[in-house]
Coordinates of all heavy atoms in Angstrom, one line a residue:
M1 N -50.5 -6.4 25.2 CA -51.2 -5.0 25.0 C -50.4 -3.9 25.7 O -50.2 -2.9 25.1 CB -52.6 -5.1 25.7 CG -53.5 -3.9 25.3 SD -53.7 -3.7 23.5 CE -54.0 -1.9 23.4
G2 N -49.9 -4.2 26.9 CA -49.0 -3.2 27.5 C -47.8 -2.8 26.7 O -47.4 -1.7 26.7
L3 N -47.3 -3.8 26.1 CA -46.1 -3.6 25.3 C -46.3 -2.6 24.1 O -45.5 -1.7 23.9 CB -45.6 -4.9 24.7 CG -44.3 -4.9 23.8 CD1 -43.1 -4.5 24.7 CD2 -44.0 -6.2 23.1
V4 N -47.5 -2.7 23.5 CA -47.8 -1.8 22.4 C -47.8 -0.3 22.9 O -47.3 0.6 22.3 CB -49.2 -2.1 21.8 CG1 -49.6 -1.1 20.8 CG2 -49.2 -3.5 21.2
V5 N -48.4 -0.2 24.1 CA -48.5 1.2 24.7 C -47.1 1.7 25.0 O -46.7 2.8 24.7 CB -49.3 1.1 26.0 CG1 -49.3 2.5 26.7 CG2 -50.7 0.7 25.7
V6 N -46.2 0.8 25.5 CA -44.8 1.2 25.8 C -44.1 1.6 24.6 O -43.4 2.7 24.5 CB -44.1 0.1 26.5 CG1 -42.6 0.4 26.6 CG2 -44.6 -0.2 27.9
L7 N -44.3 0.8 23.5 CA -43.6 1.1 22.2 C -44.1 2.4 21.7 O -43.4 3.2 21.1 CB -43.9 0.0 21.2 CG -43.1 -1.4 21.5 CD1 -43.4 -2.4 20.4 CD2 -41.6 -1.1 21.6
F8 N -45.4 2.6 21.8 CA -46.0 3.9 21.3 C -45.4 5.1 22.0 O -45.0 6.1 21.3 CB -47.5 3.9 21.5 CG -48.2 5.2 21.1 CD1 -48.5 5.4 19.8 CD2 -48.5 6.2 22.0 CE1 -49.0 6.6 19.4 CE2 -49.1 7.4 21.6 CZ -49.4 7.6 20.3
F9 N -45.2 5.0 23.3 CA -44.6 6.2 24.0 C -43.1 6.3 23.7 O -42.6 7.4 23.6 CB -44.9 6.0 25.5 CG -46.2 6.5 25.9 CD1 -47.2 5.6 26.2 CD2 -46.6 7.9 25.8 CE1 -48.5 6.0 26.5 CE2 -47.8 8.3 26.1 CZ -48.8 7.4 26.5
F10 N -42.5 5.2 23.4 CA -41.1 5.3 23.0 C -41.0 6.0 21.6 O -40.2 6.8 21.4 CB -40.4 3.9 22.9 CG -39.7 3.5 24.1 CD1 -40.1 2.6 25.0 CD2 -38.5 4.2 24.4 CE1 -39.4 2.2 26.1 CE2 -37.7 3.9 25.6 CZ -38.2 2.9 26.4
G11 N -41.9 5.6 20.8 CA -42.0 6.2 19.4 C -42.3 7.7 19.5 O -41.6 8.5 18.9
L12 N -43.2 8.0 20.4 CA -43.6 9.4 20.6 C -42.4 10.2 21.1 O -42.1 11.3 20.5 CB -44.7 9.5 21.6 CG -45.6 10.7 21.5 CD1 -46.4 10.7 20.1 CD2 -46.6 10.7 22.6
A13 N -41.7 9.7 22.1 CA -40.6 10.4 22.7 C -39.5 10.6 21.6 O -38.9 11.7 21.5 CB -40.0 9.7 23.9
G14 N -39.2 9.5 20.9 CA -38.1 9.6 19.9 C -38.5 10.5 18.8 O -37.7 11.3 18.3
G15 N -39.8 10.5 18.4 CA -40.3 11.3 17.3 C -40.2 12.8 17.7 O -39.7 13.6 16.9
I16 N -40.5 13.1 18.9 CA -40.5 14.5 19.3 C -39.0 15.0 19.4 O -38.6 16.1 19.0 CB -41.1 14.7 20.7 CG1 -42.7 14.5 20.5 CG2 -40.8 16.0 21.3 CD1 -43.4 14.3 21.8
A17 N -38.1 14.1 19.9 CA -36.7 14.4 20.0 C -36.2 14.7 18.6 O -35.4 15.6 18.4 CB -36.0 13.3 20.7
G18 N -36.5 13.8 17.7 CA -36.1 14.0 16.3 C -36.6 15.3 15.7 O -35.8 16.0 15.0
R19 N -37.9 15.6 15.9 CA -38.5 16.8 15.4 C -37.8 18.0 15.9 O -37.6 19.0 15.2 CB -40.0 16.7 15.7 CG -40.8 17.8 15.0 CD -40.9 17.6 13.5 NE -41.2 18.8 12.8 CZ -40.3 19.7 12.4 NH1 -39.1 19.5 12.6 NH2 -40.7 20.8 11.8
V20 N -37.6 18.1 17.2 CA -37.0 19.2 17.8 C -35.7 19.5 17.2 O -35.2 20.7 17.1 CB -36.9 19.0 19.4 CG1 -36.0 20.0 20.0 CG2 -38.3 19.1 20.0
K21 N -35.0 18.5 16.8 CA -33.6 18.6 16.3 C -33.6 18.9 14.8 O -32.6 18.8 14.1 CB -32.8 17.4 16.6 CG -32.6 17.3 18.1 CD -31.6 16.3 18.6 CE -31.5 16.3 20.1 NZ -30.3 15.5 20.6
G22 N -34.8 19.1 14.2 CA -34.9 19.5 12.8 C -34.9 18.3 11.9 O -34.8 18.5 10.7
S23 N -35.2 17.1 12.4 CA -35.3 16.0 11.6 C -36.8 15.6 11.4 O -37.7 16.4 11.8 CB -34.5 14.8 12.1 OG -34.5 13.7 11.2
S24 N -37.1 14.4 10.9 CA -38.5 14.0 10.7 C -39.1 13.3 11.9 O -38.5 12.5 12.5 CB -38.5 13.0 9.5 OG -39.7 12.3 9.5
F25 N -40.3 13.8 12.3 CA -41.0 13.1 13.4 C -41.3 11.7 13.1 O -41.1 10.8 13.9 CB -42.3 13.9 13.7 CG -43.1 13.3 14.8 CD1 -42.9 13.5 16.1 CD2 -44.2 12.4 14.4 CE1 -43.6 12.9 17.1 CE2 -44.9 11.8 15.4 CZ -44.7 12.1 16.8
V26 N -41.9 11.5 11.9 CA -42.4 10.1 11.5 C -41.2 9.2 11.5 O -41.3 8.0 11.9 CB -43.1 10.2 10.1 CG1 -43.5 8.8 9.7 CG2 -44.3 11.1 10.2
L27 N -40.1 9.6 10.9 CA -38.9 8.8 10.8 C -38.4 8.3 12.2 O -38.2 7.1 12.4 CB -37.8 9.6 10.1 CG -36.4 8.9 10.1 CD1 -36.4 7.8 9.0 CD2 -35.3 9.9 9.8
W28 N -38.3 9.2 13.1 CA -37.8 8.9 14.4 C -38.8 8.2 15.3 O -38.5 7.4 16.2 CB -37.3 10.1 15.1 CG -36.0 10.5 14.6 CD1 -35.7 11.6 13.7 CD2 -34.7 9.8 14.7 NE1 -34.4 11.6 13.3 CE2 -33.8 10.5 13.9 CE3 -34.3 8.7 15.4 CZ2 -32.4 10.1 13.8 CZ3 -33.0 8.3 15.3 CH2 -32.0 9.0 14.6
F29 N -40.1 8.4 15.0 CA -41.2 7.7 15.6 C -41.1 6.2 15.3 O -41.1 5.4 16.2 CB -42.6 8.2 15.2 CG -43.7 7.5 15.8 CD1 -44.3 8.0 17.0 CD2 -44.3 6.4 15.3 CE1 -45.3 7.4 17.6 CE2 -45.3 5.7 15.9 CZ -45.9 6.2 17.0
R30 N -40.9 5.9 14.0 CA -40.7 4.6 13.6 C -39.5 3.9 14.1 O -39.5 2.8 14.6 CB -40.6 4.5 12.0 CG -42.0 4.7 11.4 CD -42.0 4.2 9.9 NE -43.1 4.8 9.2 CZ -42.9 5.3 8.0 NH1 -41.8 5.3 7.4 NH2 -43.9 5.9 7.4
I31 N -38.4 4.6 14.1 CA -37.1 4.0 14.6 C -37.3 3.7 16.1 O -36.9 2.6 16.5 CB -36.0 5.0 14.4 CG1 -35.7 5.1 12.9 CG2 -34.7 4.5 15.1 CD1 -34.7 6.2 12.5
S32 N -37.8 4.6 16.8 CA -37.9 4.5 18.3 C -38.9 3.4 18.7 O -38.8 2.7 19.7 CB -38.3 5.8 19.0 OG -37.3 6.8 18.7
A33 N -40.0 3.3 17.8 CA -41.0 2.2 18.1 C -40.5 0.8 17.8 O -40.9 -0.1 18.4 CB -42.3 2.6 17.4
C34 N -39.7 0.7 16.7 CA -39.2 -0.6 16.3 C -38.0 -1.0 17.2 O -38.0 -2.2 17.6 CB -38.7 -0.5 14.9 SG -40.0 -0.3 13.7
V35 N -37.1 -0.1 17.5 CA -36.1 -0.5 18.4 C -36.1 0.5 19.6 O -35.3 1.5 19.6 CB -34.7 -0.5 17.7 CG1 -34.4 -1.8 17.0 CG2 -34.5 0.7 16.7
P36 N -37.0 0.3 20.6 CA -37.1 1.2 21.7 C -35.7 1.4 22.3 O -34.8 1.1 21.7 CB -38.0 0.5 22.7 CG -38.3 -0.8 22.1 CD -37.8 -0.9 20.7
F37 N -35.5 2.0 23.4 CA -34.2 2.2 24.0 C -33.1 2.7 22.9 O -32.8 3.9 22.9 CB -33.6 1.0 24.7 CG -34.6 0.5 25.8 CD1 -35.3 -0.6 25.6 CD2 -34.7 1.3 26.9 CE1 -36.2 -1.1 26.6 CE2 -35.6 0.9 27.9 CZ -36.3 -0.3 27.8
I38 N -32.7 1.9 22.0 CA -31.7 2.2 21.0 C -32.2 3.3 20.1 O -31.5 4.3 19.9 CB -31.3 1.0 20.2 CG1 -30.7 -0.1 21.1 CG2 -30.2 1.4 19.1 CD1 -30.6 -1.4 20.5
G39 N -33.4 3.2 19.6 CA -34.0 4.2 18.7 C -34.1 5.6 19.4 O -33.8 6.6 18.9
L40 N -34.6 5.5 20.7 CA -34.8 6.8 21.4 C -33.4 7.4 21.7 O -33.2 8.6 21.6 CB -35.5 6.4 22.7 CG -35.8 7.7 23.6 CD1 -36.6 8.7 22.9 CD2 -36.6 7.2 24.9
L41 N -32.5 6.5 22.1 CA -31.1 7.0 22.3 C -30.5 7.7 21.1 O -29.9 8.7 21.2 CB -30.2 5.8 22.8 CG -29.2 6.1 23.8 CD1 -29.8 6.6 25.1 CD2 -28.3 4.9 24.0
A42 N -30.7 7.0 20.0 CA -30.2 7.6 18.7 C -30.9 8.9 18.4 O -30.2 9.8 18.0 CB -30.5 6.6 17.6
A43 N -32.2 9.0 18.7 CA -32.9 10.3 18.4 C -32.3 11.4 19.3 O -32.1 12.5 18.9 CB -34.4 10.1 18.7
L44 N -32.0 11.0 20.5 CA -31.5 12.0 21.5 C -30.0 12.4 21.2 O -29.6 13.5 21.4 CB -31.5 11.5 22.9 CG -32.9 11.3 23.5 CD1 -32.9 10.6 24.8 CD2 -33.6 12.6 23.6
C45 N -29.3 11.5 20.6 CA -27.9 11.8 20.3 C -27.7 12.4 18.9 O -26.7 12.8 18.5 CB -27.0 10.5 20.3 SG -27.0 9.8 22.0
Y46 N -28.8 12.3 18.1 CA -28.8 12.8 16.7 C -28.3 14.2 16.7 O -28.7 15.0 17.5 CB -30.2 12.7 16.2 CG -30.3 13.0 14.7 CD1 -29.8 12.1 13.7 CD2 -30.9 14.2 14.3 CE1 -29.9 12.4 12.4 CE2 -31.0 14.5 12.9 CZ -30.5 13.6 12.0 OH -30.6 13.9 10.7
R47 N -27.4 14.5 15.8 CA -26.9 15.9 15.8 C -27.9 16.9 15.4 O -28.9 16.6 14.7 CB -25.7 16.0 14.8 CG -26.0 15.7 13.4 CD -24.7 15.5 12.6 NE -25.0 14.8 11.4 CZ -25.4 15.4 10.3 NH1 -25.7 16.7 10.3 NH2 -25.7 14.7 9.2
W48 N -27.7 18.1 15.9 CA -28.7 19.2 15.7 C -28.5 19.7 14.3 O -27.7 20.5 14.0 CB -28.5 20.3 16.7 CG -28.9 19.9 18.1 CD1 -28.1 19.1 18.9 CD2 -30.1 20.2 18.8 NE1 -28.8 19.0 20.1 CE2 -30.0 19.7 20.0 CE3 -31.2 21.0 18.4 CZ2 -31.0 19.8 21.0 CZ3 -32.2 21.1 19.4 CH2 -32.1 20.5 20.6
D49 N -29.3 19.1 13.4 CA -29.1 19.4 12.0 C -29.3 20.9 11.6 O -28.6 21.5 10.8 CB -30.2 18.6 11.2 CG -29.5 17.8 10.1 OD1 -28.2 17.6 10.2 OD2 -30.2 17.3 9.2
N50 N -30.2 21.6 12.3 CA -30.5 23.0 11.9 C -29.6 23.9 12.6 O -29.8 25.1 12.5 CB -32.0 23.3 12.1 CG -32.4 23.0 13.5 OD1 -31.6 22.7 14.4 ND2 -33.7 23.1 13.8
Q51 N -28.6 23.5 13.4 CA -27.7 24.4 14.1 C -26.3 24.3 13.4 O -25.4 25.0 13.8 CB -27.5 24.0 15.5 CG -28.6 24.5 16.4 CD -28.4 24.3 17.9 OE1 -27.4 23.7 18.2 NE2 -29.3 24.7 18.7
E52 N -26.2 23.5 12.4 CA -24.9 23.3 11.8 C -24.7 24.4 10.7 O -25.6 24.9 10.1 CB -24.8 22.0 11.1 CG -24.5 20.9 12.1 CD -24.1 19.6 11.5 OE1 -23.3 19.6 10.6 OE2 -24.7 18.6 11.9
L53 N -23.4 24.8 10.6 CA -23.1 25.8 9.7 C -23.2 25.2 8.3 O -23.0 24.0 8.1 CB -21.7 26.3 9.9 CG -21.5 27.1 11.2 CD1 -20.0 27.4 11.4 CD2 -22.3 28.4 11.1
R54 N -23.5 26.1 7.3 CA -23.6 25.6 6.0 C -22.7 26.3 5.0 O -22.0 27.2 5.4 CB -25.1 25.8 5.5 CG -26.1 25.0 6.3 CD -27.5 25.4 6.0 NE -27.7 26.8 6.4 CZ -28.7 27.5 6.1 NH1 -29.6 27.0 5.3 NH2 -28.9 28.8 6.5
R55 N -22.6 25.8 3.8 CA -21.7 26.4 2.8 C -22.4 26.1 1.4 O -23.3 25.3 1.3 CB -20.4 25.6 2.8 CG -20.7 24.1 2.7 CD -19.8 23.2 2.0 NE -18.5 23.7 1.7 CZ -17.4 23.1 1.9 NH1 -17.4 21.9 2.5 NH2 -16.3 23.5 1.5
Q56 N -21.9 26.9 0.5 CA -22.5 26.7 -0.9 C -21.6 26.1 -1.8 O -20.4 26.4 -1.8 CB -22.9 28.1 -1.4 CG -23.9 28.1 -2.5 CD -24.5 29.4 -2.8 OE1 -23.9 30.4 -2.5 NE2 -25.7 29.5 -3.4
C57 N -22.1 25.1 -2.6 CA -21.2 24.4 -3.6 C -20.8 25.4 -4.7 O -21.7 26.0 -5.3 CB -22.0 23.2 -4.1 SG -21.1 22.5 -5.5
P58 N -19.5 25.5 -5.0 CA -19.1 26.4 -6.0 C -19.5 25.9 -7.4 O -19.6 26.7 -8.4 CB -17.5 26.4 -5.9 CG -17.2 25.1 -5.2 CD -18.4 24.8 -4.3
G59 N -19.8 24.6 -7.5 CA -20.1 24.1 -8.8 C -21.6 24.3 -9.2 O -21.9 24.8 -10.3
C60 N -22.5 24.0 -8.3 CA -23.9 24.1 -8.7 C -24.7 25.0 -7.8 O -25.9 25.3 -8.0 CB -24.5 22.7 -8.6 SG -24.6 22.0 -7.0
G61 N -24.1 25.5 -6.7 CA -24.7 26.5 -5.9 C -25.6 25.9 -4.8 O -26.3 26.6 -4.1
R62 N -25.6 24.6 -4.7 CA -26.4 23.9 -3.7 C -25.9 24.2 -2.3 O -24.7 24.2 -2.1 CB -26.5 22.4 -3.9 CG -27.4 21.7 -3.0 CD -27.3 20.2 -3.1 NE -27.9 19.5 -2.0 CZ -29.1 19.1 -2.0 NH1 -29.8 19.2 -3.1 NH2 -29.6 18.5 -0.9
V63 N -26.8 24.5 -1.3 CA -26.3 24.7 0.0 C -26.2 23.4 0.7 O -27.1 22.5 0.8 CB -27.4 25.6 0.8 CG1 -27.0 25.7 2.3 CG2 -27.5 26.9 0.1
L64 N -25.0 23.2 1.3 CA -24.6 21.9 1.9 C -24.2 22.1 3.4 O -23.9 23.3 3.7 CB -23.4 21.2 1.2 CG -23.6 21.0 -0.3 CD1 -22.3 21.0 -1.0 CD2 -24.4 19.8 -0.6
K65 N -24.1 21.0 4.1 CA -23.5 21.2 5.4 C -22.0 21.5 5.3 O -21.4 21.0 4.4 CB -23.7 19.9 6.2 CG -25.2 19.5 6.3 CD -26.0 20.4 7.2 CE -27.4 20.0 7.3 NZ -28.3 21.1 7.8
L66 N -21.6 22.2 6.3 CA -20.2 22.6 6.3 C -19.2 21.4 6.3 O -18.1 21.5 5.7 CB -19.9 23.5 7.6 CG -18.6 24.2 7.6 CD1 -18.5 25.2 6.5 CD2 -18.4 24.9 8.9
H67 N -19.6 20.3 6.9 CA -18.7 19.2 7.0 C -18.7 18.3 5.8 O -17.9 17.3 5.7 CB -18.9 18.4 8.3 CG -20.4 17.9 8.3 ND1 -20.8 16.8 7.6 CD2 -21.4 18.3 9.0 CE1 -22.1 16.7 7.8 NE2 -22.5 17.5 8.7
D68 N -19.6 18.6 4.8 CA -19.7 17.7 3.6 C -18.4 17.9 2.8 O -18.0 19.0 2.5 CB -20.9 18.1 2.8 CG -22.2 17.5 3.4 OD1 -22.1 16.7 4.3 OD2 -23.3 18.0 3.0
A69 N -17.8 16.8 2.4 CA -16.6 16.9 1.6 C -16.8 16.8 0.1 O -16.0 17.3 -0.7 CB -15.7 15.7 2.0
V70 N -18.0 16.3 -0.2 CA -18.3 16.2 -1.7 C -19.8 16.6 -1.8 O -20.6 16.3 -1.0 CB -18.2 14.7 -2.1 CG1 -18.7 14.6 -3.6 CG2 -16.8 14.2 -2.0
C71 N -20.0 17.4 -2.9 CA -21.4 17.9 -3.1 C -22.3 16.7 -3.5 O -21.9 15.9 -4.4 CB -21.4 18.9 -4.3 SG -23.0 19.4 -4.8
V72 N -23.4 16.6 -2.8 CA -24.3 15.5 -3.1 C -25.0 15.6 -4.4 O -25.6 14.7 -5.0 CB -25.4 15.3 -2.0 CG1 -24.7 14.9 -0.7 CG2 -26.2 16.6 -1.8
R73 N -25.1 16.8 -5.0 CA -25.8 17.0 -6.3 C -24.9 16.8 -7.5 O -25.2 16.1 -8.4 CB -26.4 18.4 -6.3 CG -27.3 18.6 -7.6 CD -27.6 20.0 -7.8 NE -28.8 20.4 -7.1 CZ -29.2 21.7 -7.1 NH1 -28.5 22.6 -7.6 NH2 -30.3 22.0 -6.4
C74 N -23.7 17.5 -7.5 CA -22.9 17.5 -8.7 C -21.6 16.8 -8.5 O -20.9 16.5 -9.4 CB -22.6 18.9 -9.2 SG -21.6 19.9 -8.0
G75 N -21.3 16.4 -7.2 CA -20.1 15.5 -7.0 C -18.8 16.3 -6.9 O -17.7 15.7 -6.8
T76 N -18.9 17.6 -6.9 CA -17.7 18.5 -6.8 C -17.0 18.2 -5.4 O -17.7 18.2 -4.4 CB -18.0 20.0 -6.9 OG1 -18.7 20.2 -8.1 CG2 -16.8 20.8 -6.8
E77 N -15.7 18.0 -5.4 CA -15.0 17.9 -4.2 C -14.8 19.3 -3.6 O -14.5 20.2 -4.2 CB -13.6 17.3 -4.4 CG -13.7 15.7 -4.4 CD -12.3 15.1 -4.3 OE1 -11.5 15.6 -3.5 OE2 -12.0 14.3 -5.2
L78 N -15.1 19.3 -2.3 CA -15.2 20.6 -1.6 C -14.0 20.8 -0.7 O -13.7 19.9 0.1 CB -16.5 20.8 -0.9 CG -17.7 20.6 -1.8 CD1 -19.0 20.4 -0.9 CD2 -18.0 21.8 -2.7
E79 N -13.4 21.9 -0.7 CA -12.4 22.2 0.3 C -13.1 23.0 1.4 O -14.1 23.5 1.3 CB -11.3 23.1 -0.3 CG -10.5 22.4 -1.3 CD -9.4 23.2 -1.9 OE1 -9.0 24.2 -1.3 OE2 -8.9 22.9 -3.0
F80 N -12.4 23.0 2.6 CA -13.0 23.6 3.7 C -13.2 25.1 3.4 O -12.2 25.8 3.0 CB -12.2 23.4 5.0 CG -13.0 23.6 6.2 CD1 -13.9 22.6 6.6 CD2 -13.0 24.8 6.9 CE1 -14.7 22.7 7.8 CE2 -13.8 24.9 8.1 CZ -14.6 23.9 8.5
P81 N -14.4 25.7 3.5 CA -14.6 27.1 3.0 C -14.0 28.1 3.9 O -13.9 27.9 5.1 CB -16.1 27.1 2.9 CG -16.6 26.2 4.0 CD -15.6 25.1 4.0
E82 N -13.7 29.3 3.4 CA -13.3 30.4 4.2 C -14.5 31.1 4.8 O -14.4 31.6 5.9 CB -12.5 31.4 3.3 CG -11.1 30.9 2.9 CD -10.5 31.8 1.8 OE1 -10.9 33.0 1.8 OE2 -9.7 31.3 1.0
V83 N -15.6 31.0 4.1 CA -16.8 31.7 4.6 C -17.9 30.6 4.7 O -18.1 29.9 3.8 CB -17.3 32.8 3.6 CG1 -18.5 33.5 4.2 CG2 -16.1 33.8 3.4
A84 N -18.5 30.6 5.9 CA -19.6 29.7 6.1 C -20.9 30.5 6.1 O -20.9 31.6 6.5 CB -19.4 28.9 7.4
I85 N -22.0 29.8 5.7 CA -23.3 30.4 5.8 C -23.8 30.1 7.2 O -23.7 29.0 7.7 CB -24.2 29.8 4.7 CG1 -23.6 29.9 3.3 CG2 -25.6 30.4 4.8 CD1 -24.3 29.2 2.2
A86 N -24.5 31.1 7.7 CA -25.1 30.9 9.1 C -26.0 29.7 9.1 O -26.7 29.4 8.1 CB -25.8 32.2 9.5
S87 N -26.1 29.1 10.2 CA -27.0 27.9 10.4 C -28.4 28.4 10.3 O -28.8 29.5 10.5 CB -26.7 27.2 11.7 OG -27.2 28.1 12.8
E88 N -29.3 27.4 10.0 CA -30.7 27.7 9.8 C -31.3 28.3 11.1 O -32.1 29.2 11.1 CB -31.5 26.4 9.5 CG -31.2 26.0 8.1 CD -31.7 24.5 7.9 OE1 -32.7 24.2 8.4 OE2 -31.0 23.8 7.2
M89 N -30.8 27.7 12.3 CA -31.3 28.2 13.6 C -30.9 29.6 13.8 O -31.8 30.4 14.2 CB -30.6 27.3 14.6 CG -31.2 27.5 16.0 SD -32.9 26.9 16.2 CE -32.5 25.2 16.8
S90 N -29.7 30.1 13.5 CA -29.3 31.4 13.8 C -30.0 32.4 12.9 O -30.3 33.5 13.3 CB -27.8 31.6 13.8 OG -27.3 31.3 12.5
V91 N -30.2 32.0 11.7 CA -31.0 32.8 10.7 C -32.4 33.1 11.3 O -32.9 34.2 11.2 CB -31.0 32.2 9.3 CG1 -32.0 32.9 8.4 CG2 -29.7 32.2 8.7
R92 N -33.0 32.0 11.8 CA -34.4 32.1 12.3 C -34.4 33.0 13.5 O -35.3 33.8 13.7 CB -34.9 30.7 12.7 CG -36.3 30.5 12.4 CD -36.8 29.1 12.6 NE -36.1 28.1 11.8 CZ -35.9 26.8 12.1 NH1 -36.3 26.4 13.3 NH2 -35.3 26.0 11.3
E93 N -33.4 32.9 14.4 CA -33.3 33.7 15.6 C -33.2 35.2 15.2 O -33.8 36.0 15.8 CB -32.2 33.2 16.5 CG -32.6 32.0 17.3 CD -31.3 31.4 18.0 OE1 -30.3 32.0 17.9 OE2 -31.5 30.4 18.6
R94 N -32.3 35.4 14.2 CA -32.1 36.8 13.8 C -33.4 37.4 13.2 O -33.7 38.5 13.5 CB -31.0 36.8 12.8 CG -30.1 38.0 12.9 CD -28.9 37.9 12.0 NE -28.0 36.7 12.3 CZ -27.2 36.2 11.4 NH1 -27.1 36.7 10.2 NH2 -26.5 35.1 11.8
A95 N -34.1 36.6 12.5 CA -35.4 37.0 11.9 C -36.4 37.3 13.0 O -37.1 38.3 12.9 CB -35.9 36.0 10.9
A96 N -36.4 36.5 14.0 CA -37.3 36.7 15.1 C -37.0 37.9 15.9 O -37.9 38.6 16.4 CB -37.3 35.4 16.0
A97 N -35.7 38.2 16.0 CA -35.2 39.4 16.8 C -35.6 40.7 16.1 O -35.7 41.7 16.7 CB -33.8 39.3 17.0
G98 N -35.8 40.6 14.8 CA -36.3 41.8 14.1 C -35.4 42.2 13.0 O -35.4 43.3 12.6
Ligands
ZN101 ZN1 -22.5 21.0 -6.4

């Protein structure tokens, strides 16, 4: 019984860590509850998705992460862009600032 409680809290911690970083709470809750320690560690090390710079695909216009080499929608090979789109986080901060 104690183990279930421990796993639950690991799941909770991992879920919150994942959510804060712009990922799915449920996804990281499950990962952390199934593989405690490792899952929680993975959630904490997970890159900050909403802080990454973005770019737009010249082929289909889809907004992708700056480091993506190939468009996930149309398969266009992408060169490193001269202009990057501001990250979701900085856009939100600017909007909040006024
Ligand atoms: Zn595309």
Side-chain angles (χ1 to χ4, degrees):
M1 192 58 207
L3 182 67
V4 176
V5 176
V6 170
L7 288 182
F8 176 79
F9 279 106
F10 263 109
L12 204 64
I16 292 168
R19 186 71 199 88
V20 164
K21 298 192 176 188
S23 187
S24 162
F25 174 85
V26 177
L27 174 75
W28 286 104
F29 181 92
R30 281 198 203 137
I31 293 172
S32 301
C34 292
V35 278
F37 301 109
I38 299 166
L40 182 57
L41 214 61
L44 291 173
C45 296
Y46 187 74
R47 62 195 162 80
W48 292 77
D49 237 13
N50 53 9
Q51 276 187 2
E52 280 189 50
L53 291 174
R54 294 170 298 164
R55 53 147 11 133
Q56 199 166 23
C57 171
C60 65
R62 186 189 164 94
V63 175
L64 305 154
K65 300 294 179 195
L66 191 63
H67 57 75
D68 285 344
V70 175
C71 175
V72 290
R73 184 195 275 173
C74 67
T76 303
E77 271 190 51
L78 305 164
E79 291 179 20
F80 204 78
E82 290 169 26
V83 182
I85 303 173
S87 68
E88 288 165 39
M89 188 71 93
S90 62
V91 169
R92 216 175 297 153
E93 278 169 7
R94 218 170 300 158

